[in-house]
Structure formats: C-alpha cells, structure tokens
Amino acid sequence: MKLLVTGAAGFIGANFVYYELEKHPDDVIVGLDALTYAGNLETLEAALKNPNFKFVKADITDRDAVDSVFEDEQFDIVVNFAAESHVDRSIEDPAIFLRTNILGTQVLLDAARKYKVPRYHQVSTDEVYGDLPLNRPDLLFTEQTPIHTSSPYSASKASSDLLVQAYQRTFGFPATISRCSNNYGPYQFPEKLIPLMIANCLADKPLPVYGEGLNVRDWLYVADHCKAIDLIIREGRVGEVYNIGGHNEMTNIDIVKLIISALDKSESLITYVTDRKGHDLRYAIDPTKITNELGWTPETMFADGIKITIDWYLNNRDWWGNIVSGEYTKYYEKMYGDR
Ligand code: NAD
Ligand code: TDX
C-alpha cells in the first residue's frame, strides 16, 4: 500500500507516520506538509531514515503542486491531517483557516478524484458538534449529533466535512471521516493546553487558565487516535463517519493541577485570565460505533499517557525549547500579554 499523509510534520500527522511505519512496515508513506509555524521537520527526523518514507514540502491549497505529487505517486489511500488547528488563532485571524481547511481539502478531493485514488480519509474533530452543557453528563456526541459550530476553526472543519460528504454523494467518492476528541502526547505544539502548561511550569511562568477553568475536554492519547484511523482506512465502511474518544472527561483546572503536581511546582503559578470568546463548555464523545464495528478501544489510560507525555517534554527540551524561544514569543505576547 502507498499512503499520502498530509500534515505529516504536525502533531498527530507525525505520530500517525510513526504508527504506520511500525504497524505496516511494508507500506510506503509520502508525508506532505507546508511546514507552517506548526510543522516541524525535526519531528520526522527518524522517519526520514526509513527508506519507505518520503517527505514532500507542499501546500495543500497549491493545486499544481498537489496534482504533481498525485501524478508521480499512485496512492492507495490519502489521509488528510493538514489543517490550521488552533482555536485561539482562528479567533484572531479566520482567513487562513478557511483557505487551508476548506479550499485545501477541496484541492485534495479533486486530486484524489482525478488520479482515481481508491480511498480518502478526512481527519475531523469533535468540535464540529459544538458543545454540551456542563450539567448534563448523560449527553455525548454521537455521529447523529447535528453539526453546530462555535469558532471559525470548527466552522472551517465542519465545512470540509460537508464538502467530503458532498463529493461522496455527488461523485460516489470513496471517503471516510473521523471526529476525534482532544489529543495529547509527544510532539504537540506548545500553544495547546497540555504542552503549554508543561512548558510554562518548567519555566516557572504563570499558567493562564481561561475563565474559571471549568470547561471540560475528553482527552485521548495520540497513539490511540492513530490506531483508530489505521482501522478506519483499512476496515471501515466507505461513506461513514466514525467518532473517536475514550470517555476521559476532565476540567481544564484539574489538568493544570495534575501537571503542577507531576512537576512538583506550586499552584500559585495558576493565573485566571479572560475567557476565550465563544468558549465551548464541554466535549464528550460516544465511541460506540467504532468500538462495535471495528473493535477499537483506547489502550492508554490517562494516568499513563500524561506521564509518558510529561516525560517526553522533559527529555526533549530542544524540540520545544527552540519553538518557545523563536517566533512563538510574539504569538505568546499577543495572546497572553495583557489578557
Ligand atoms: P498541528 O497544527 O500540530 O499540525 C498541522 C500540520 O498541518 C502542520 O504540520 C502544518 O504545517 C500542516 N499544514 C497547515 N497548513 C497546511 C497547508 N496549507 N498545506 C500543507 N500542510 C499544512 O495539528 P494537529 O493537532 O496535528 O491536528 C491534525 C489534524 O487533526 C487537524 O486536521 C485537526 O483539525 C485534527 N484534530 C486535532 C485534534 C487535537 O486535539 N489536536 C483533535 C481532533 C482532530
Ligand atoms: O492557555 C490556555 N488556557 C486554557 O485555559 C489554552 C491554550 C487553553 N485553555 C483551555 C481552552 C480549552 O477549554 O484549555 C482547553 C483546551 O484548549 P486547546 O488545547 O486550545 O484545545 P481545544 O480548543 O479544546 O481544541 C483542541 O481539540 C480539538 C485542538 O486544538 C483542536 O485542533 C481539536 O480539533
């Protein structure tokens, strides 16, 4: 099998490349990435030593560049991770989210049709379902939950899902979609909650908790997400949406306190800051469909996954140290400076 993995130099895309190279050592993977601020070729350093992996720098909105990759390679499967992925950035500047997440997806869909790729997978998010109330723990997102978005990010992801479904219906395009809850693990860009709090704790910097810290997210270790996508692209039913999540709901403040305690720091670092605009209250996935149809269950308990993750950030300071000391300082100042 030959796979195209877009967004391969990002957090989940890179973890997926490593997962596939190990699980299917005979498969060939082409990783494509524009290397935006969120993409880091260092993350793929070990993969680049594998003769079955190749990297192409290209923007998914660049039709000519994308077409030429599809022309050169005969892909069996396309997995699209490439996206602008940070909600806060989408609130500051939505345009790039629409361009990459919607128009970029369209370019990939057109190329996959033109070059008759037998299988396309769109990596989506639970955020397309909007949010759930905090006082109704009985409610979960199923694949039937209506799309109801809150941020420019989630609206752009929902739009790309709808486009994939339109290509399915109109052209008989062979696609699947997965909607996963919040991921954590190695190589996550330090703008996201868990790595940001780890990095700030280690530098004894304030820990900026939005609002009262009571918003709930449903955390899944990244390798479990990769395992689910691997099952869907190989055994899932064409035309279907699969929710992915491991019933692991936690408030943000509990996550922050857990990181503080694991790093032996003081809770006095916690700083409550102005809430995110339109802040989704709670996400919670019902993964019954993927469990029943494909036998997927998460393997990594949160207590283990967070330990692996914190250890990884402790042991890989170069990887994120370079990021937080570079261009990112401007972003951090703009986002948190006088919040
Ligand atoms: P990320 O921001 O870490 O990585 C995104 C990657 O896409 C980067 O390497 C970036 O360089 C690349 N990219 C951005 N624009 C591009 C373009 N125009 N052309 C080519 N490459 C481009 O994001 P992530 O957290 O790894 O998320 C990957 C996917 O999974 C996204 O589609 C996201 O919506 C989805 N998702 C993420 C989570 C999560 O918790 N992180 C949860 C559910 C779904
Ligand atoms: O500094 C912070 N302080 C804070 O309180 C940051 C960065 C976040 N938060 C809160 C906001 C959220 O309630 O923590 C929670 C998690 O925030 P993010 O890490 O930004 O993730 P979220 O907004 O939940 O979106 C993530 O999950 C779904 C990913 O970034 C998306 O790409 C994915 O689709």
Side-chain angles (χ1 to χ4, degrees):
M1 291 272 230
K2 189 185 269 190
L3 280 74
L4 173 67
V5 176
T6 66
F11 165 46
I12 311 175
N15 275 281
F16 183 73
V17 166
Y18 286 116
Y19 183 89
E20 291 295 296
L21 289 173
E22 192 174 329
K23 180 104 204 266
H24 306 283
D26 296 330
D27 284 0
V28 171
I29 300 181
V30 177
L32 180 150
D33 201 293
L35 298 179
T36 68
Y37 80 91
N40 187 346
L41 212 42
E42 268 178 52
T43 306
L44 292 171
E45 211 174 273
L48 286 162
K49 295 189 182 123
N50 186 321
N52 281 349
F53 179 75
K54 181 164 118 186
F55 180 77
V56 178
K57 182 174 186 296
D59 189 318
I60 59 165
T61 64
D62 181 342
R63 198 173 280 276
D64 292 340
V66 167
D67 274 8
S68 97
V69 176
F70 277 72
E71 179 128 31
D72 291 348
E73 318 274 352
Q74 287 292 309
F75 295 118
D76 298 296
I77 306 175
V78 171
V79 186
N80 180 24
F81 290 93
E84 287 293 331
S85 69
H86 193 35
V87 173
D88 291 325
R89 289 186 192 253
S90 83
I91 295 167
E92 290 294 307
D93 184 9
I96 183 74
F97 284 74
L98 274 56
R99 200 171 90 89
T100 291
N101 299 0
I102 308 174
L103 298 179
T105 296
Q106 187 210 357
V107 168
L108 290 172
L109 294 174
D110 287 343
R113 276 191 71 216
K114 184 169 166 189
Y115 294 97
K116 302 196 175 7
V117 178
R119 195 65 179 262
Y120 176 96
H121 182 74
Q122 179 75 4
V123 180
S124 184
T125 167
D126 59 357
E127 296 199 18
V128 302
Y129 299 124
D131 62 354
L132 295 163
L134 292 175
N135 62 355
R136 288 290 308 274
D138 55 311
L139 296 179
L140 302 172
F141 294 137
T142 72
E143 290 81 2
Q144 277 70 49
T145 302
I147 300 284
H148 183 81
T149 58
S150 312
S151 69
Y153 163 71
S154 56
S156 70
K157 291 296 290 185
S159 303
S160 46
D161 285 13
L162 293 175
L163 202 57
V164 172
Q165 288 175 324
Y167 274 54
Q168 277 169 355
R169 166 92 186 232
T170 308
F171 306 118
F173 182 74
T176 43
I177 296 173
S178 55
R179 297 182 178 143
C180 190
S181 59
N182 285 59
N183 283 214
Y184 69 99
Y187 301 115
Q188 187 165 31
F189 195 84
E191 67 192 349
K192 306 284 166 52
L193 179 74
I194 289 181
L196 184 146
M197 295 300 167
I198 296 172
N200 281 19
C201 255
L202 290 173
D204 293 309
K205 279 174 64 176
L207 307 177
V209 173
Y210 299 167
E212 295 177 53
L214 298 177
N215 303 59
V216 170
R217 297 294 183 262
D218 185 359
W219 294 95
L220 184 72
Y221 188 62
V222 64
D224 282 320
H225 186 187
C226 296
K227 179 178 136 189
I229 294 174
D230 179 63
L231 279 170
I232 295 168
I233 60 180
R234 290 163 202 275
E235 296 170 34
R237 284 184 297 138
V238 164
E240 295 294 315
V241 173
Y242 293 92
N243 281 356
I244 308 169
H247 291 296
N248 184 50
E249 293 179 51
M250 291 181 73
T251 61
N252 295 336
I253 192 67
D254 282 348
I255 295 268
V256 172
K257 286 184 176 170
L258 194 152
I259 292 169
I260 291 171
S261 150
L263 292 172
D264 208 14
K265 297 288 179 178
S266 160
E267 288 189 7
S268 63
L269 287 175
I270 294 172
T271 311
Y272 293 94
V273 299
T274 309
D275 210 352
R276 174 184 279 172
K277 290 189 179 85
H279 198 173
D280 280 338
L281 292 172
R282 170 177 165 250
Y283 304 142
I285 281 279
D286 177 354
T288 306
K289 179 174 173 179
I290 189 167
T291 301
N292 288 350
E293 274 191 28
L294 305 178
W296 178 86
T297 48
E299 281 171 20
T300 308
M301 300 293 293
F302 188 76
D304 300 326
I306 195 72
K307 187 173 178 330
I308 299 168
T309 304
I310 291 174
D311 286 347
W312 188 87
Y313 281 88
L314 281 169
N315 295 327
N316 290 275
R317 284 175 190 248
D318 281 357
W319 184 90
W320 57 270
N322 288 341
I323 295 170
V324 298
S325 61
E327 202 47 27
Y328 178 75
T329 52
K330 288 186 198 144
Y331 162 82
Y332 197 89
E333 187 48 39
K334 186 172 171 213
M335 201 60 85
Y336 296 96
D338 56 359
R339 190 161 184 156

